Amino acid sequence: MAALLRPEASTAPGWQEVGPASRGGSGDTVGAAAWGSGFRQTAGAGFRLVVDVGAWDHSVAMNTPGQSGDPHGEHYADLFEQWAGDGSFPLLYSSAAVEKRAVRTIALRPSAPGVGQPPNGR
């Protein structure tokens, strides 16, 4: 069983934990995993990337437990089950592919002139 626990899990609220989920793998497989007592997964790849340099938009990736580091966010654990099943998501590269699949766009702009600029214009 794989479960993602923060190091401070013994004192952390339950919402910080993700899983468990059954999963395979070992140190001798692509699905690298290490196992402890009770056949509990203790280590493994949390990020996977397959890049097709001949067709960049065919690349795929996986990041667990999700795309957000905010435990309260909608994307905090949305990839966990897919990760546990050795799945992936498209890692799009071209502007056309990204724009075609974009769900939303966030524009970041300084709140005032000069905000975020290095001192002395450097």
Side-chain angles (χ1 to χ4, degrees):
M1 295 297 257
L4 300 180
L5 306 172
R6 293 182 179 266
E8 68 282 2
S10 62
T11 59
W15 51 259
Q16 290 187 343
E17 297 179 12
V18 180
S22 297
R23 96 176 228 88
S26 74
D28 299 319
T29 66
V30 174
W35 303 93
S37 63
F39 203 61
R40 181 174 175 199
Q41 185 175 347
T42 57
F47 179 78
R48 298 187 292 254
L49 177 68
V50 179
V51 178
D52 184 339
V53 296
W56 291 98
D57 287 329
H58 295 163
S59 301
V60 295
M62 176 48 63
N63 184 44
T64 192
Q67 290 294 83
S68 172
D70 176 6
H72 300 290
E74 65 182 300
H75 299 293
Y76 178 68
D78 60 346
L79 295 175
F80 180 75
E81 293 297 326
Q82 207 176 345
W83 166 81
D86 295 325
S88 61
F89 57 84
L91 184 64
L92 305 174
Y93 180 78
S94 70
S95 293
V98 171
E99 289 170 9
K100 181 178 179 181
R101 294 214 178 119
V103 175
R104 71 176 163 246
T105 301
I106 300 172
L108 303 176
R109 296 184 181 93
S111 58
V115 172
Q117 299 294 319
N120 302 325
R122 294 183 195 174

